[in-house]
Amino acid sequence: LLKHIHSRDSPLPVQMGKKKSSDRGGSEALGASRRGAGQGLSDTGLAAVGDSGLQQAEEAAEAAATSSGGARTSNPQLQARLNQLVEYAQGGDLRGFVRVFVPHDLTQEDVDFFAGELEADPTRWELLAAEVTLIADGSRVNSIVGDQRTRAEFRYFMPNQSMNINREVVFVCENGDWRAEG
């Protein structure tokens, strides 16, 4: 919309409305690049907008999956391992839990160190136990990515948090034994 305003003090017409980019200094004045295909956005800016949109779409899909009942593994051996971890957690057997949770390639020293960290930080142990329980139950799992024969990535929202923090835990199967990925 273009308006012309005349007054006694202003003999020349004043144009109001949108200016052409060449009249206002172009997109370079705002720090944007003309090289990208994004109407004044640089290639990096355009990618960031795309990533943000993709993340919002993924979060909406995960929220819908959770509201429709979640996802539970279809692999009976993986489900048995998850149930075993829950039993250890509910029985307070931290060392038993760690022994069957950690990746195969950890040294005994690393396993002992991890168990010691959990023993020194009861809140961390409780949170880990709650997350494994959530995964085993499946009702709050948004999705499971992977073939569930050799790899399963569980995506879920952190329990008991004021913010929805999307988490991922990966289990891998090596020689028929499911463990957390290192």
Side-chain angles (χ1 to χ4, degrees):
L1 181 64
L2 199 54
K3 293 183 181 180
H4 296 284
I5 300 175
H6 294 280
S7 75
R8 292 185 187 150
D9 296 332
S10 173
L12 298 174
V14 175
Q15 294 183 346
M16 297 184 69
K18 291 187 174 184
K19 292 183 178 180
K20 294 180 185 177
S21 62
S22 60
D23 293 339
R24 64 176 183 266
S27 59
E28 287 84 8
L30 300 174
S33 168
R34 287 186 181 235
R35 291 177 288 155
Q39 297 289 328
L41 283 176
S42 67
D43 292 338
T44 304
L46 186 60
V49 169
D51 288 346
S52 175
L54 179 61
Q55 180 180 0
Q56 288 175 356
E58 287 176 347
E59 288 174 358
E62 290 172 352
T66 300
S67 67
S68 68
R72 194 169 184 182
T73 182
S74 58
N75 183 304
Q77 289 80 22
L78 175 54
Q79 187 63 49
R81 174 51 52 98
L82 294 171
N83 293 343
Q84 180 184 27
L85 289 166
V86 170
E87 287 175 22
Y88 282 136
Q90 290 176 344
D93 187 354
L94 185 145
R95 293 274 173 173
F97 179 98
V98 168
R99 189 176 56 254
V100 297
F101 177 77
V102 297
H104 288 283
D105 62 351
L106 289 186
T107 65
Q108 187 59 47
E109 183 180 334
D110 290 335
V111 173
D112 291 340
F113 180 79
F114 180 63
E117 284 187 326
L118 292 176
E119 289 169 338
D121 188 351
T123 302
R124 184 175 171 198
W125 161 235
E126 289 170 11
L127 184 58
L128 178 59
E131 289 185 62
V132 170
T133 302
L134 181 146
I135 290 169
D137 173 65
S139 64
R140 294 196 49 173
V141 173
N142 303 323
S143 63
I144 303 171
V145 178
D147 62 15
Q148 295 188 53
R149 289 176 301 153
T150 59
R151 185 176 193 281
E153 179 180 318
F154 294 86
R155 296 181 180 180
Y156 58 95
F157 289 110
M158 288 281 287
N160 305 319
Q161 301 292 316
S162 59
M163 297 174 49
N164 282 336
I165 300 172
N166 198 10
R167 294 271 295 161
E168 299 168 355
V169 173
V170 178
F171 283 85
V172 293
C173 185
E174 192 175 301
N175 298 320
D177 189 23
W178 285 93
R179 301 288 183 107
E181 184 177 61

